[in-house]
Amino acid sequence: MLTFIHAADFHLDSPLRGLDRYEGAPAREIRQAGRRALANLVEYILDNQIPLLLIAGDLYDADCPDFQTLLHFSMQMDRLKHAGTRVALIHGNHDAGNSMTRSLRLPDNVRTFSWSRAETWIIKDLGTAVHGQSFRSQEVLDNLVPDFPGPVPGLFNIGLLHTSLSGRPGHSGYAPCDLDHLLAKNYDYWALGHIHRPETVHSHPPVIFSGCIQGRHIREPGPKGCVRVDVDNSGSVRTESIALDVFRWKTLEIDISQSDTLSRVLDLAAIKIEQSFSSESQGRPMAFRIVLTGTGPVHDQLQKDRELLKASIRRIATDVSRQQIWVEKIILNTFPAIDFEELKKSPSPQGDLARFLDELEKCPENLEQIGFNLDDLAGKLSGTGFKLPDLNNARVRRELIQEARRIIIPALSKTINSG
């Protein structure tokens, strides 16, 4: 029998720049969440007497501010040492370039794998061989897998790698490789890091991204933690996701199509927020991004009373959760009760404008053709602290175009109906 924990992407004390700009943001709690998730990991290992922990890179951020973060981790590893737990550690793209990371001496139960070559750690009493390699620098663009050692006969062989595989949305392509490269090594388990969303890439043998242990922002929603791996005497592998996070993120969409007043929208929001929090928080505080969607007559009122709507939703979230929800952002993505496709067929000026907005959404670069820019306005606002949107960013431009349509269409519909 063998039991081990596979974890990755701790990003301890990540600076989370810009968090203080958010209204009511529990900045201190979010910044400390990584340390608390690490403490949960250590407590789980101690409570369950687990003899081996694998950390597949990005323990720290590249700009780890001082030794306090490193010393905190060292103290946690010392607790594992006294319990007899061994730790296999590799550095990933975020912590490879940190000089302090390389200078801190960790307890001798921690094996940090070399960046110069792949190597093997044989742990005889566990019947295990761990093969791994740290990143040399923040950008490793070579496939590291071909140089990994072959499996050690008679032992349970584990590959420890920080990689993007053949690519994942939103993640840089570091240490790229194909699944076939991993399987060709004939290891019994691949413990991968770098991708923050848990993913089982292959089942037999298991090739798994454990995900990060704590979500840091809205793009890292849902439960976060580690993978517990149990191997029986026949070599059969069973995996289990273990939640470690102390603060959880959620994007909640609310369809207003069946609501005809602001009051009914707020009633619906209260129901949806309470249901989501009750089913998904598991006793943790949460950050919600509320996205109102759908088409209906209440759209005009929502646009008119935006500030009242947002203030009311924030109050609802506070009340239903007993101050355990922070509303990170409220986005209005609703449309008026108008047949936009019919409007686009109209030969009227309103139809021309609707078609133009539709074209701009598909090709935001067309803004350049009409010479639209904010340079003059930016000059006038210089020094005021007001930040204009970046029109060079295609995503920002597309969002602004969609927002313009939602504001303009009610006016168009009223003009058409009164004409």
Side-chain angles (χ1 to χ4, degrees):
M1 289 287 293
L2 168 67
T3 298
F4 62 90
I5 293 292
H6 164 202
D9 299 286
F10 292 36
H11 293 274
L12 292 176
D13 294 348
S14 176
L16 301 174
R17 295 181 183 88
L19 188 62
D20 294 329
R21 294 198 302 267
Y22 285 85
E23 179 181 347
R28 183 172 180 271
E29 288 80 359
I30 295 174
R31 287 195 175 96
Q32 291 183 343
R35 288 195 184 197
R36 294 171 59 197
L38 170 60
N40 286 346
L41 170 63
V42 171
E43 289 297 333
Y44 182 87
I45 292 172
L46 296 177
D47 290 346
N48 292 272
Q49 299 180 333
I50 295 174
L52 178 62
L53 167 63
L54 310 175
I55 301 177
D58 283 0
L59 178 61
Y60 315 106
D61 259 22
D63 50 0
C64 181
D66 55 42
F67 268 110
Q68 294 305 313
T69 304
L70 282 66
L71 290 173
H72 176 76
F73 175 72
S74 181
M75 289 167 53
Q76 294 292 341
M77 295 304 98
D78 200 50
R79 295 178 64 198
L80 294 182
K81 174 183 177 179
H82 291 300
T85 299
R86 267 68 64 88
V87 181
L89 168 66
I90 59 173
H91 294 311
N93 57 293
H94 274 272
D95 51 8
N98 190 307
S99 60
M100 289 191 295
T101 298
R102 294 179 177 176
S103 64
L104 179 70
R105 184 181 297 276
L106 293 170
D108 59 13
N109 62 317
V110 180
R111 170 69 175 267
T112 302
F113 284 73
S114 170
W115 53 263
S116 61
R117 60 182 177 82
E119 54 187 4
T120 300
W121 183 20
I122 294 178
I123 311 174
K124 290 185 178 179
D125 60 307
L126 298 182
T128 304
V130 182
H131 314 273
Q133 182 175 357
S134 290
F135 273 28
R136 176 193 301 267
S137 61
Q138 292 184 16
E139 291 192 6
V140 173
L141 304 179
D142 299 325
N143 183 357
L144 302 178
V145 177
D147 294 330
F148 269 53
V152 179
L155 299 181
F156 187 87
N157 287 266
I158 302 170
L160 188 58
L161 181 66
H162 199 78
T163 178
S164 61
L165 285 186
S166 54
R168 291 295 187 277
H171 291 81
S172 301
Y174 297 135
C177 62
D178 294 329
L179 176 61
D180 289 344
H181 295 142
L182 302 180
L183 299 181
K185 287 298 176 180
N186 292 316
Y187 292 172
D188 301 294
Y189 184 95
W190 275 99
L192 306 182
H194 184 52
I195 306 304
H196 289 195
R197 184 184 299 273
E199 179 183 354
T200 298
V201 181
H202 194 266
S203 298
H204 304 289
V207 178
I208 295 177
F209 285 106
S210 64
C212 55
I213 68 168
Q214 171 61 56
R216 297 175 299 157
H217 44 66
I218 197 66
R219 296 186 302 280
E220 296 176 351
K224 301 297 180 184
C226 64
V227 177
R228 172 176 173 152
V229 184
D230 293 287
V231 185
D232 64 22
N233 291 330
S234 69
S236 178
V237 178
R238 183 175 66 88
T239 62
E240 178 185 2
S241 295
I242 306 298
L244 303 170
D245 53 342
V246 299
F247 189 92
R248 198 160 286 179
W249 301 80
K250 167 75 175 182
T251 295
L252 178 64
E253 293 193 358
I254 301 174
D255 189 343
I256 56 87
S257 299
Q258 303 304 313
S259 303
D260 56 2
T261 65
L262 173 59
S263 177
R264 292 192 176 183
V265 170
L266 295 176
D267 289 343
L268 178 62
I271 293 171
K272 295 293 186 181
I273 293 172
E274 185 171 19
Q275 288 177 343
S276 182
F277 181 72
S278 297
S279 63
E280 300 180 46
S281 68
Q282 297 179 313
R284 297 164 174 81
M286 294 185 68
F288 274 67
R289 175 174 290 184
I290 308 295
V291 182
L292 299 179
T293 65
T295 300
V298 76
H299 166 86
D300 291 9
Q301 187 179 4
L302 299 184
Q303 290 290 343
K304 178 182 177 183
D305 298 326
R306 293 168 72 100
E307 295 308 313
L308 174 61
L309 170 70
K310 293 181 178 182
S312 298
I313 288 178
R314 292 183 189 278
R315 179 57 185 267
I316 287 169
T318 297
D319 289 346
V320 302
S321 67
R322 296 185 179 180
Q323 299 184 335
Q324 290 298 294
I325 291 177
W326 165 54
V327 178
E328 176 253 10
K329 187 179 291 187
I330 300 170
I331 298 175
L332 271 68
N333 193 17
T334 61
F335 290 90
I338 181 174
D339 190 334
F340 189 53
E341 293 304 316
E342 285 299 318
L343 178 62
K344 288 192 292 183
K345 296 176 184 177
S346 168
S348 66
Q350 293 93 337
D352 290 340
L353 181 56
R355 287 189 292 274
F356 178 68
L357 288 173
D358 199 46
E359 292 172 2
L360 279 183
E361 184 176 358
K362 295 175 182 177
C363 301
E365 295 77 11
N366 288 347
L367 279 173
E368 299 173 2
Q369 297 179 9
I370 61 175
F372 181 79
N373 66 71
L374 298 175
D375 292 345
D376 290 342
L377 182 57
K380 294 177 181 178
L381 293 174
S382 178
T384 66
F386 187 86
K387 187 176 181 181
L388 292 173
D390 179 12
L391 293 183
N392 293 320
N393 185 310
R395 178 185 61 80
V396 172
R397 285 183 293 184
R398 185 173 291 109
E399 290 175 353
L400 288 173
I401 292 165
Q402 291 173 343
E403 181 72 3
R405 183 192 289 114
R406 284 190 287 272
I407 294 172
I408 291 171
I409 289 178
L412 292 177
S413 64
K414 291 176 183 177
T415 303
I416 291 173
N417 291 334
S418 62

